[in-house]
Amino acid sequence: MSVTILAIESSCDDTSASIIRDGYMLSNLIANQDVHRLYGGVVPELASRAHQANIIPVVDQAIIQAGISQDEIDAVAFTRGPGLLGSLLVGASFAKGYALAQSIPLIEVNHLKAHVMSHWIKVPGKEMPLPELPFLCLLVSGGHTQLLIVKDDFSIQELGSTIDDAAGEAFDKCAKVMGLTYPGGPLIDSYASKGNKDAFKFTRPRIADLNYSFSGLKTNFLYFLRDRIKEDKDFIAKNIEDLSASLQQTIIDILLDKLVKAANKSGINQIGIAGGVAANSGLRSRLLEEAKHRDWEVFLPEFRFTTDNAAMIGITAYYKYLNKEFTGQGTSPLARYSIT
Ligand code: KG4
Ligand code: ZN
């Protein structure tokens, strides 16, 4: 039996649609929203309007690029949350209407779980090993930093999470302090590649257990710059590469410290990262480096599956479809929605 899923992702500022057939990604379209660039962050009202404008053309293109016809779609999946309520509503309403019109099942997906499940997306013509279960995943997105175990039945156990800012927020907020546009993570990544990671020292938190904290680093970074700018108003411009490299290194050290502890504590050696910050080139190479000294098998999602995309919603929905986990029309989006 072949299963074809149309998946929609609209939790934040990207409108995405994907076709997944039997775990293989046939298409994955993403319409980015440039309207937010001017504001230094995502403006929720503008995001929902852009989703409304984008959703039909993006779904159309996803179906065309997959080379299938609408009547081959067995179920429609959407992101229920967490995310911006107005943005989620656009995707949820579209998916509900589509399920009704086509008389096919509806499947709701948790966006955070979908980031983790991106490791199971298969790409036609590119056979890659899939992680074995249990799998230890560091989820690092714009709003979340969590250490998670994917158990044998694909259920999730949380080992630790951030008590304040997420790693993505640390990148974005520090980038903003340096005058970089939103989202700052990718910009810091590219400046960091040309800088000296040992140029400056920033604080590392002392947090119990397997939890994270990034708000102290952000404050430390802010005060550090404020003091240096007093001495030289061009300090940032002159040092942007070294600042980026040192900051990125600090964030990676903080992330890896707890990941190593989680691996040791759980005894799991199938290790991966997921979410937008998993696109960070420093974090990716550091993980591969760590794997050399340990018996880790490391899984790095393709770049296009790290930031928000509908293929990850589709793969999660595919496994739910196999378990017949369908959703009624009474469902509604959730701005806050725990992964466990
Ligand atoms: O997972 P995601 O696309 O959206 C959420 O669900 O939050 O993550 C977005 C986050 C932003 O904070 C962005 O700055 C960060 O991922 N990000 C990066 C990189 N690419 C995206 N951070 C560091 N280095 C990157 N290359
Ligand atoms: Zn995300």
Side-chain angles (χ1 to χ4, degrees):
M1 184 194 66
S2 174
V3 178
T4 305
I5 311 264
L6 163 65
I8 317 278
E9 152 61 31
S10 71
S11 65
C12 190
D13 59 339
D14 296 320
T15 319
S16 181
S18 170
I19 299 289
I20 297 280
R21 174 170 285 169
D22 300 332
Y24 284 92
M25 187 216 69
L26 300 189
S27 64
N28 183 38
L29 270 283
I30 303 175
N32 302 116
Q33 300 181 0
D34 267 342
V35 285
H36 309 289
R37 224 163 255 285
L38 291 171
Y39 302 93
V42 177
V43 184
E45 181 57 25
L46 294 179
S48 12
R49 287 182 199 192
H51 282 305
Q52 278 183 321
N54 291 341
I55 195 152
I56 291 176
V58 169
V59 167
D60 264 348
Q61 277 305 313
I63 293 171
I64 291 167
Q65 287 198 14
I68 64 161
S69 64
Q70 291 214 53
D71 52 19
E72 293 176 58
I73 296 171
D74 297 304
V76 55
F78 68 99
T79 306
R80 185 175 183 202
L84 301 170
L85 207 49
S87 294
L88 292 165
L89 263 171
V90 177
S93 311
F94 179 90
K96 282 193 207 181
Y98 195 91
L100 271 181
Q102 298 288 106
S103 300
I104 54 174
L106 183 64
I107 302 175
E108 65 185 34
V109 170
N110 178 304
H111 179 88
L112 302 173
K113 172 116 184 226
H115 271 302
V116 175
M117 292 297 294
S118 63
H119 286 282
W120 277 267
I121 301 170
K122 294 193 273 188
V123 177
K126 253 196 206 176
E127 293 307 324
M128 305 273 278
L130 301 179
E132 283 168 25
L133 298 174
F135 174 59
L136 177 62
C137 189
L138 171 63
L139 171 63
V140 271
S141 69
H144 293 81
T145 299
Q146 290 170 301
L147 277 166
L148 304 163
I149 295 177
V150 185
K151 301 210 277 192
D152 291 347
D153 60 354
F154 283 105
S155 65
I156 304 278
Q157 181 191 344
E158 186 188 282
L159 297 179
S161 77
T162 180
I163 58 165
D164 42 54
D165 287 350
E169 273 174 297
F171 272 110
D172 294 340
K173 288 180 178 175
C174 292
K176 196 170 177 180
V177 172
M178 291 196 287
L180 302 178
T181 51
Y182 176 87
L187 296 171
I188 291 189
D189 191 356
S190 79
Y191 282 121
S193 63
K194 293 170 230 132
N196 171 10
K197 59 184 171 28
D198 300 314
F200 306 108
K201 282 264 165 291
F202 300 114
T203 46
R204 281 129 218 266
R206 266 183 245 138
I207 301 290
D209 307 323
L210 295 173
N211 293 322
Y212 288 106
S213 166
F214 287 98
S215 69
L217 172 61
K218 173 193 65 189
T219 312
N220 174 233
F221 191 71
L222 179 70
Y223 289 163
F224 172 82
L225 286 184
R226 192 191 57 183
D227 294 346
R228 293 301 178 99
I229 290 167
K230 273 189 205 147
E231 295 157 13
D232 176 2
K233 66 177 177 35
D234 297 324
F235 179 77
I236 295 178
K238 286 180 192 159
N239 295 283
I240 187 98
E241 291 165 355
D242 287 350
L243 282 167
S244 298
S246 304
L247 175 71
Q248 178 170 299
Q249 186 59 23
T250 310
I251 295 174
I252 293 172
D253 284 347
I254 296 171
L255 290 173
L256 260 293
D257 174 48
K258 298 290 169 110
L259 179 60
V260 168
K261 287 186 176 129
N264 291 343
K265 190 174 169 189
S266 64
I268 297 174
N269 76 341
Q270 305 282 299
I271 313 254
I273 48 175
V277 180
N280 185 268
S281 48
L283 177 60
R284 294 170 82 92
S285 49
R286 175 70 179 278
L287 217 66
L288 294 173
E289 204 45 49
E290 290 287 335
K292 286 186 197 157
H293 314 302
R294 306 168 194 281
D295 69 336
W296 287 7
E297 195 178 344
V298 162
F299 296 86
L300 303 173
E302 278 189 38
F303 284 106
R304 58 184 166 158
F305 300 141
T306 57
T307 45
D308 292 348
N309 66 88
M312 69 185 194
I313 305 300
I315 195 71
T316 314
Y318 170 67
Y319 285 96
K320 289 186 99 171
Y321 186 99
L322 297 181
N323 280 335
K324 299 197 167 42
E325 288 177 56
F326 302 131
T327 309
Q329 284 282 332
T331 182
S332 52
L334 295 172
R336 298 169 71 87
Y337 187 9
S338 164
I339 190 170
T340 51

